[in-house]
């Protein structure tokens, strides 16, 4: 690790929105003034106690924070090594960590006088969270979702519609999450005056990666306090799943300067990280490029054309990753590994049977890595994995893969 | 003097406005695309804007998106796009060629390598949609140093406070985006565009060419009346997408050029 080069791993991004070479503001001129406005508004809000008072109130009474830090006792015994804790962000209102960030952005949008909210969504969790908070505040909500995802995540599409959102199936490109993001950007560039783009992950042009990270950091801050209360010390290892990487960044960020805490991000390995590129592991199988407003590791061909990811989990199905993860990867502060669909499915089932928790497919990837490392670690080694979402949305996908006939 | 500067000097002398035609390189395939590009100067095109296909064209409407997909499916690469310029240069040494697209394929090739290859091929300028002035160090400054014009987009959201920053490292001409939106969407309105062009000209001294939302010879004439030139892209590309023969595409381009030149 390049310890001499950095006084702190928590000081990024710089004024250009860069984490090392990653990040930046690669957007069209039409959007640039909007992004600068947002940055100014966020800088104001960051140090405004009334902003955080509103957040704290909603986090406590609307979302249900703090989420518990749970000792997974049977799983720990089953794996026979390290002591495993789960940060229960799947117990949040709307069933995932996504709402932590959405609340922050919607409060900002209200402060900026924006009345129309747009969002992209993959698995539908960010879309549901955005639709939820928009309903609460009476804001117009438009969610862009790849046509392919609209099909495989039908329950979330219905939820969003119940919550009053307009869901627009995206057929441009190949109709996946990245195309949904393209269409959301096209909407934003067309409706610049009244529209706020609520991005669901730690990616996009500056200030989004830093802003979303800050909102999600409530996860790691709570873990610090809860682990201190439970064990009287910091965890030894943190494990979280990564698509764009917002739940992981939220868990990792408050620990970046605690050099003894090992940090592991788990990418979606799909059918395996190899030349066939049927995966979404941007760091393990991609190289730096520029897409959606930032420089980061991307799945791309030799000519710089972006490739489609592949994963059983719609929430991880994105060919990029947040720029701060790319930086943490390159400077060596965090490790990144890949877990295949098959391994994630195994972890999904184990979690159901051992702990009575049906996890989302995204954190099932993190859990699968915990299953790999925990048995080899001593019993006093503390692992904290982020249970960032619940699996209700995924039971149809899992049933199909397990050959279970779901006719109701 | 760059080819672009020379072209505007010539047009000024003739009292004519510039007609800029956009086509996607490699759409619908390499050979057809090359035939169209080769025919553009004789169809009255003053400046050729050659699109570099990209999988994720965030500022483009469906027409240009589909053109990019057709080109990529037919095997178009950045190298083949440069090849189109090389072949054009064998017959035409005066018509400026501006390559337009997104940054990643250039970044992927390597900025220095791209610039020297593009310069050698006979490319005169670059328009890269996702490189605002905040990212000038990436490509704009190296491109100018390599003797290539870097043409910037100014938009309705570029206010007076921001305009100097946008114009700072711009050369060749300024591309005014007539609408807030994507290519091929709403219609440009001369009443809105005129004052904006005047504002940008006053601040830059460079020719101002207007694009986005110009679809007919009449619109080309109306908008050219209040600017130094017009760009038409989607309306041409739409015809290519419908499988129109090269001669028909070029006849339509001719009608647009005539419209702009009547201004």
């Amino acid at each position: 690790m390049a310890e001499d080069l950095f006084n702190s791993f928590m000081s990024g991004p710089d004024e250009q929105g860069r984490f090392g070479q990653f990040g930046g503001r690669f957007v069209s001129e039409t959007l640039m003034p909007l992004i600068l406005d947002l940055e100014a508004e966020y800088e104001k809000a960051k140090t405004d106690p009334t902003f955080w008072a509103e957040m704290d109130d909603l986090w406590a009474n609307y979302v249900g924070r703090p989420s518990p830090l749970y000792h997974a006792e049977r799983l720990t015994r089953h794996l026979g090594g390290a002591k495993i804790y789960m940060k229960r962000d799947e117990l949040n209102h709307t069933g995932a960590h996504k709402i932590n960030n959405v609340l922050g952005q919607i409060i900002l949008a209200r402060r900026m006088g924006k009345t129309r909210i747009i969002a992209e969504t993959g698995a539908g969790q960010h879309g549901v969270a955005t639709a939820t908070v928009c309903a609460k505040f009476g804001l117009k909500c438009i969610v862009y979702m790849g046509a392919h995802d609209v099909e495989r995540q039908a329950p979330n599409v219905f939820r969003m519609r119940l919550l009053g959102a307009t869901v627009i199936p995206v057929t441009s490109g190949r109709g996946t999450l990245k195309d949904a993001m393209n269409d959301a950007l096209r909407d934003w560039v067309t409706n610049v005056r009244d529209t706020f783009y609520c991005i669901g992950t730690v990616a996009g042009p500056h200030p989004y990666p830093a802003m979303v990270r800050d909102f999600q950091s409530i996860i790691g801050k709570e873990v610090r306090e809860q682990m201190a209360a439970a064990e009287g010390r910091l965890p030894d290892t943190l494990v979280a799943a990564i698509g764009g990487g917002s739940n992981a960044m939220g868990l990792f960020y408050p620990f970046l300067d605690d050099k003894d805490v090992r940090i592991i991000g788990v990418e979606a390995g799909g059918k395996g990280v190899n030349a066939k590129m049927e995966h979404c592991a941007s760091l393990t199988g991609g190289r730096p490029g520029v897409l959606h407003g930032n420089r980061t590791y991307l799945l791309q061909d030799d000519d710089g054309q972006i490739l489609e990811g592949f994963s059983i989990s719609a929430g991880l199905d994105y060919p990029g990753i947040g720029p701060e993860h790319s930086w943490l990867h390159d400077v060596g502060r965090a490790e990144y590994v890949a877990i295949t669909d098959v391994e994630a499915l195994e972890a999904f089932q184990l979690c159901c049977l051992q702990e009575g928790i049906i996890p989302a497919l995204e954190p099932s990837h993190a859990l699968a890595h915990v299953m790999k490392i925990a048995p080899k670690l001593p019993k006093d080694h503390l692992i904290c994995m982020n249970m960032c979402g619940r699996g209700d949305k995924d039971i149809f996908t899992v049933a199909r893969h397990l050959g279970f006939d779901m006719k109701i | 003097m760059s080819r672009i500067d020379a072209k505007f000097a010539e047009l000024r002398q003739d009292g004519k406005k510039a007609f800029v035609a956009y086509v996607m390189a490699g759409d619908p395939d390499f050979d057809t695309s090359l035939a169209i590009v080769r025919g553009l100067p004789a169809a009255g095109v003053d400046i050729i804007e050659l699109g570099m296909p990209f999988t994720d064209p965030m500022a483009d409407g469906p027409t240009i998106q589909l053109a990019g997909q057709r080109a990529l499916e037919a095997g178009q690469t950045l190298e083949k796009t440069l090849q189109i310029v090389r072949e054009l240069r064998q017959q035409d040494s005066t018509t400026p060629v501006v390559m337009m697209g997104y940054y990643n394929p250039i970044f992927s090739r390597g900025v220095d390598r791209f610039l020297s290859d593009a310069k050698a091929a006979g490319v005169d300028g670059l328009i890269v949609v996702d490189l605002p002035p905040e990212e000038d160090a990436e490509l704009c400054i190296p491109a100018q140093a390599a003797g290539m014009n870097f043409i910037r987009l100014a938009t309705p959201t570029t206010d007076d406070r921001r305009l100097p920053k946008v114009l700072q490292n711009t050369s060749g001409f300024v591309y005014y985006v007539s609408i807030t939106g994507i290519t091929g969407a709403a219609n440009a309105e001369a009443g809105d565009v005129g004052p904006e062009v005047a504002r940008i000209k006053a601040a830059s001294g460079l020719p101002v060419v207007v694009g986005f939302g110009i679809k007919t010879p009449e619109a080309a004439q109306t908008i050219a009346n209040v600017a130094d030139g017009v760009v038409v892209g989607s309306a041409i590309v739409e015809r290519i997408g419908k499988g129109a023969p090269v001669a028909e595409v070029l006849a339509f381009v001719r009608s647009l050029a005539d419209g702009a030149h009547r201004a």
Side-chain angles (χ1 to χ4, degrees):
Chain A
M1 192 185 306
E3 279 177 82
D4 315 341
L5 294 176
F6 300 97
N7 295 323
S8 168
F9 289 100
M10 296 172 72
S11 57
D14 65 18
E15 278 180 12
Q16 309 303 313
R18 300 291 183 111
F19 304 90
Q21 65 156 317
F22 300 105
R25 290 178 283 213
F26 296 88
V27 296
S28 63
E29 173 58 24
T30 311
L31 291 180
M32 204 55 224
L34 280 72
I35 282 164
L36 293 173
D37 282 351
L38 173 62
E39 185 185 349
E41 192 70 30
Y42 179 55
E43 285 304 316
K44 252 194 291 172
K46 242 169 40 176
T47 52
D48 178 355
T50 63
F51 176 81
W52 290 106
E54 190 175 0
M55 288 289 282
D56 286 341
D57 175 60
L58 289 167
W59 268 336
N61 301 309
Y62 192 65
V63 177
R65 302 209 71 90
S67 66
L69 182 71
Y70 165 71
H71 172 212
E73 224 177 321
R74 282 196 75 219
L75 188 67
T76 298
R77 250 201 323 275
H78 176 82
L79 295 175
K83 188 169 182 182
I84 299 161
Y85 280 89
M86 293 174 175
K87 177 61 172 166
R88 301 287 306 276
D89 253 50
E90 101 279 14
L91 294 175
N92 292 341
H93 180 39
T94 71
H97 67 288
K98 292 291 187 186
I99 197 163
N100 301 333
N101 158 52
V102 170
L103 274 179
Q105 289 198 48
I106 299 298
I107 293 173
L108 269 184
R110 278 161 51 85
R111 289 164 79 107
M112 294 175 81
K114 304 286 184 183
T115 53
R116 182 175 175 273
I117 309 296
I118 56 171
E120 84 293 335
T121 199
Q125 292 303 104
H126 175 60
V128 168
T130 306
T132 298
V133 180
C134 285
K136 183 194 152 39
F137 286 112
L139 296 165
K140 194 170 175 189
C141 178
I142 291 98
V143 180
Y144 289 89
M145 189 170 186
H148 177 59
D149 291 332
V150 167
E151 252 172 66
R152 64 175 166 173
Q153 303 287 342
N156 272 343
V157 174
F158 185 55
R159 274 183 198 110
M160 287 184 265
R161 288 185 174 146
L162 281 175
L163 293 160
T166 305
V167 180
I168 302 184
V170 173
T171 52
S172 68
R174 295 187 192 276
T176 61
L177 176 55
K178 93 176 164 66
D179 303 303
M181 199 151 177
N182 288 335
D183 268 16
L185 286 163
R186 289 175 186 128
D187 178 313
W188 202 21
V189 98
T190 308
N191 301 287
V192 293
R193 316 269 170 210
D194 63 344
T195 298
F196 186 98
Y197 183 14
C198 182
I199 295 185
T201 192
V202 286
H206 177 65
Y208 282 98
M211 180 174 70
V212 176
R213 170 199 73 196
D214 292 346
F215 293 146
Q216 291 293 0
S217 291
I218 185 72
I219 299 172
K221 282 180 207 151
E222 287 176 6
V223 167
R224 278 187 90 93
E225 284 174 24
Q226 292 167 320
M227 196 61 96
E231 298 282 349
R233 65 183 182 91
L234 295 177
D236 297 301
T237 300
L238 303 174
V239 184
I242 297 188
S246 71
N247 92 80
M249 216 51 242
L251 175 65
F252 298 168
Y253 185 68
F255 294 95
L256 289 180
D257 283 341
D258 298 292
K259 307 256 163 88
D260 294 333
V261 177
R262 187 178 173 196
I263 294 177
I264 306 174
V266 183
E267 296 191 285
K271 295 182 180 172
V273 183
N274 54 39
K276 281 162 79 185
M277 297 302 274
E278 291 173 307
H279 61 81
C280 297
S282 319
L283 287 176
T284 3
R287 60 191 169 88
V290 173
L291 178 70
H292 292 154
N294 58 173
R295 170 153 43 231
T296 193
Y297 276 79
L298 297 171
L299 301 183
Q300 54 185 319
D301 69 12
D302 292 341
D303 209 40
Q305 303 296 339
I306 308 303
L307 298 171
E308 292 297 326
F310 179 90
S311 169
I312 187 173
S313 153
L316 303 180
D317 212 343
Y318 180 69
I321 183 169
E324 196 167 5
H325 285 297
S326 291
W327 176 72
L328 290 170
H329 170 266
D330 275 15
V331 299
R333 174 60 189 102
E335 300 161 51
Y336 294 87
V337 298
I339 283 291
T340 65
D341 288 354
V342 171
E343 292 169 323
L345 271 171
E346 240 173 78
F348 177 99
Q349 295 172 80
L350 187 74
C351 188
C352 293
L353 294 174
Q354 292 288 331
E355 293 296 342
I357 295 171
I358 302 178
L361 281 168
E362 292 81 17
S364 297
H365 285 71
L367 202 58
H369 191 67
V370 170
M371 285 164 61
K372 279 189 182 172
I373 61 172
K376 296 174 229 157
L377 292 165
K379 290 194 178 344
D380 61 350
H381 187 102
L382 304 177
I383 294 181
C384 175
M385 68 80 60
N386 200 6
M387 183 57 74
C388 62
R390 67 177 84 128
D392 307 41
K393 70 180 173 60
D394 292 317
I395 54 172
F396 300 94
T397 306
V398 174
R400 199 165 52 247
H401 280 271
L402 299 181
F404 186 84
D405 188 0
M406 280 277 275
K407 285 199 194 82
I408 305 169
Chain B
M1 194 190 265
S2 77
R3 269 193 206 100
I4 294 175
D5 296 338
K7 177 60 76 175
F8 277 104
E10 177 198 324
L11 287 164
R12 244 190 324 271
Q13 217 158 33
D14 299 348
K16 273 164 71 178
K17 301 298 175 70
F19 177 65
V20 183
Y22 172 100
V23 291
M24 179 68 81
D27 171 35
D29 57 65
F30 182 87
D31 292 340
T32 311
S33 179
L34 178 60
I36 293 170
V37 170
R38 282 186 147 150
L40 293 176
V45 171
D46 299 304
I47 298 174
I48 297 172
E49 218 178 279
L50 194 56
M52 298 177 273
F54 183 50
T55 39
D56 294 81
M58 297 164 311
D60 285 302
T63 305
I64 306 290
Q65 290 171 38
L66 291 172
Q69 281 180 29
R70 285 192 298 270
L72 290 173
E73 275 159 27
Q76 190 68 12
T77 59
L78 189 48
E79 180 55 36
K80 287 183 178 174
T81 300
L82 292 170
Q83 186 58 29
I84 288 179
V85 182
R86 286 184 203 112
E87 301 210 13
L88 172 75
R89 283 285 169 249
Q90 289 178 1
Q91 66 172 63
D92 182 309
S93 58
T94 56
T95 307
V97 174
V98 173
M99 285 175 62
M100 179 169 188
Y102 297 81
Y103 185 39
N104 198 53
I106 295 171
F107 178 70
S108 171
R109 192 180 181 89
V111 165
D112 292 342
R113 185 179 156 214
F114 169 77
L115 287 173
S116 69
D117 291 352
K119 186 80 189 157
V123 176
D124 305 289
L126 300 172
I127 302 177
V128 182
V129 181
D130 51 354
L131 285 177
E134 279 72 8
E135 303 292 352
D136 268 359
E138 294 281 336
L139 179 64
C140 173
I141 308 273
Q144 310 266 26
M148 189 103 63
N149 286 130
F150 198 87
I151 294 127
R152 189 91 64 192
L153 305 175
T155 73
T157 59
T158 312
D159 61 16
D160 284 333
R161 199 166 36 116
R162 186 168 167 76
L163 192 56
K165 197 176 173 85
V166 170
L167 297 175
Q168 194 182 11
N169 292 314
T170 300
S171 62
F173 60 92
V174 179
Y175 187 135
Y176 180 67
V177 176
S178 66
I179 52 164
T180 59
I182 50 180
T183 51
N187 290 315
E189 300 292 342
D192 299 337
V193 169
E196 290 292 290
V197 170
R199 178 172 74 99
I200 296 164
K201 272 184 83 75
S204 77
L206 287 169
V208 178
V209 169
V210 177
F212 284 43
I214 302 167
K215 299 164 186 169
T216 61
E218 296 70 37
Q221 182 180 356
T222 314
I223 301 293
N225 267 325
V226 297
D228 296 305
V230 292
V231 188
V232 179
S234 295
I236 300 169
V237 169
E238 199 179 317
R239 280 168 174 77
I240 298 171
K242 282 182 180 150
V246 173
E248 199 182 311
V249 172
L250 292 175
F252 178 62
V253 171
R254 160 60 67 190
S255 71
L256 293 164
D258 289 347
H261 290 151
R262 273 195 295 274

